[in-house]
Structures are given as C-alpha cells and as structure tokens.
Amino acid sequence: DGAVLHAGGFSAIASGGDLVVYTQQDGPHMQDIYATRRGDNGWSKPVTLTADSTYAWNAIPALSDDGERMLFDCGDEAYGAAGTAICEVHTDGSGFRVVLTPTIAPTGYTPGGALHEADYAPDGSIVFEGNWGAEQIWHLPLGAAEPVLVGAPFIDDNSPCVLPDG
C-alpha cells in the first residue's frame, strides 16, 4: 500500500525479493510476524501471519526456499525465554502449527529450556538451536518426531544458519 515499514525486530526476505516478513508489536499478540509482497502496483498491505498463534511472542522468522512457509520462535515470554518453541505457518497466514516444544526432549536429555532460530535445510528438514541443558544445534529430519544432535556435543552452539547446499 506504499507505507513505509518500521520493523520492530528480526525480518527475512524471500530469495526473489518479492516477499518480506518482519516482526512488529501492534498485532493481536505481544509480538507478531507480518508479510508484505511486491506486486505490479508496489508493496501489499501487511498481513498478520501469526494471527492464529497460540503464543504471546512470535519472532525470528525464517522462510522456506519456495517462500511458501515460515518457521519462527513462539513463546509466552519475551525474547526466547524458557518454554520458547518452534512454530510454522504458511506465508498467507494459514496452517499455523507447533513443530516442536522444549517440553519433549530427545532421548537422554532433560525436558525444558527453549528452542530458537529454526531454519529450513534444502531438503525441507529443520535445523535449530535447542537448549536441553546446553545451547546446541539440532536437526529435525523430515517426518521425524525426535531431533538429532548436529556434530560434536559442544555446549555453547547457537543461532544456526543453513547454507544453500545444506
């Protein structure tokens, strides 16, 4: 609609440059994620992607390669506090779902902590920071219910970013 956007935090841009998702604190929750698309007549009016979220704080979006889905941090406390989960929604705002919560820990780990900064791998699986006792990088393969620790069990790995070649 031509309005200037002043994003209130993290944002992501689709590879084609025609979709921008960003966080803002003026929606139905304490913090929400919005999308605007570039078309023939400029940028669209922002759409609230996290309107159906069951959490108060929704932040740190990551887009799928095709720009159709988005992963994000979702929690009831601000800024990734304990209990923060990983959620997903389609970039038209439909299909909200909770992907993984810290209350269900991998075998051998203690439930609790927080999950952060999920990103899609090229095959559509998910890589994220999990804090089940320590900050570590995890991989949730497609169709799996339990994540797998990535690499050596370091205790201070965080904020993963998946490269295009995986």
Side-chain angles (χ1 to χ4, degrees), residues 127-151:
V127 177
F128 64 95
E129 172 191 332
N131 189 343
W132 287 292
E135 292 177 332
Q136 296 174 305
I137 306 300
W138 295 84
H139 176 239
L140 182 63
L142 287 174
E146 185 170 303
V148 177
L149 186 62
V150 174

Side-chain angles (χ1 to χ4, degrees), residues 8-27:
F10 292 92
S11 60
I13 301 171
S15 61
D18 59 347
L19 169 66
V20 176
V21 295
Y22 62 94
T23 58
Q24 195 69 34
Q25 292 183 342
D26 61 356

Side-chain angles (χ1 to χ4, degrees), residues 62-64 66-71 88-91 97 120 124:
L63 292 165
S64 61
D66 62 7
E68 296 295 318
R69 295 173 294 135
M70 176 188 74
L71 293 168
E88 181 180 57
V89 70
H90 293 266
T91 54
R97 74 181 184 105
Y120 293 101

Side-chain angles (χ1 to χ4, degrees), residues 9-52:
F10 292 92
S11 60
I13 301 171
S15 61
D18 59 347
L19 169 66
V20 176
V21 295
Y22 62 94
T23 58
Q24 195 69 34
Q25 292 183 342
D26 61 356
H29 302 96
M30 296 300 294
Q31 185 165 332
D32 280 292
I33 302 174
Y34 295 83
T36 183
R37 295 177 184 275
R38 184 176 49 206
D40 293 338
N41 296 319
W43 290 93
S44 68
K45 180 178 179 181
V47 173
T48 309
L49 298 182
T50 52
D52 292 336

